[in-house]
Amino acid sequence: MTTGDLFADHAPADDARIVLGEAAFLLRGFALADAPALLTAVDAITQQAPFRHMITPGGFEMSVALTNSGTLGWTSDRRGYRYATHDPLTDNPWPPLPEVFLRLARHAAAEAGFPGFTPDACLINRYVPGARLSLHQDKDEQDYGAPIVSVSLGMPALFLFGGHRRADKTQRIPLFHGDVVIWGGPDRLRYHGIAPLKDHAHTVLGSQRINLTFRKAG
């Protein structure tokens, strides 16, 4: 798949559903109608649990700022990657998943062939120009039977979707405001990441990208 023009305002209408793997799909613009409500919910969440740059087990500061919503939240420090019930910054429980989050995640998962998906965690990442996410597997969850549902808001990004080995060739897929990617089943542990973001300001979010990643972690 070609990267296309990352600076286009939107993807072609005939690319509404793109197959990325046996059980992996990109749904173009699937979250557009919900985007204003999603962003309002993100603002409310970050009032309770602010964005922060976490430290990796190797001692490096992540270029992506993050926070969480749900029963469990993903955290990282020198002790390793893990899920926790409380925000280590405030020692309070993570803010609960808003209804608009749950509804969209369930709907998108069902559209991709994963009915009955009920996430208990949403990792919220904030990217600015130059931020990136290295190739990795989502494997800190207890059950790999549930899919990953990833929602893009704001600036366009280049999604890297690889194989089951880090060295496998990656697809380079442009993501736009409102796009949703779902992967599970045999594709659940495929390596993926985000290439360094280029600065192309979004009409609502400006020079930033918000990504919501829904998981069944517990």
Side-chain angles (χ1 to χ4, degrees), residues 30-41 100 104 151-153 177-178 204:
F30 192 83
L32 274 176
D34 289 316
L38 294 172
L39 291 172
T40 296
V100 65
L104 175 62
V151 181
S152 292
L153 300 168
H177 181 69
V204 174

Side-chain angles (χ1 to χ4, degrees), residues 117-135:
F117 175 56
T118 303
D120 57 10
C122 178
L123 173 62
I124 306 172
N125 283 338
R126 183 180 66 188
Y127 295 78
V128 296
R132 62 189 292 270
L133 197 61
S134 300
L135 283 176

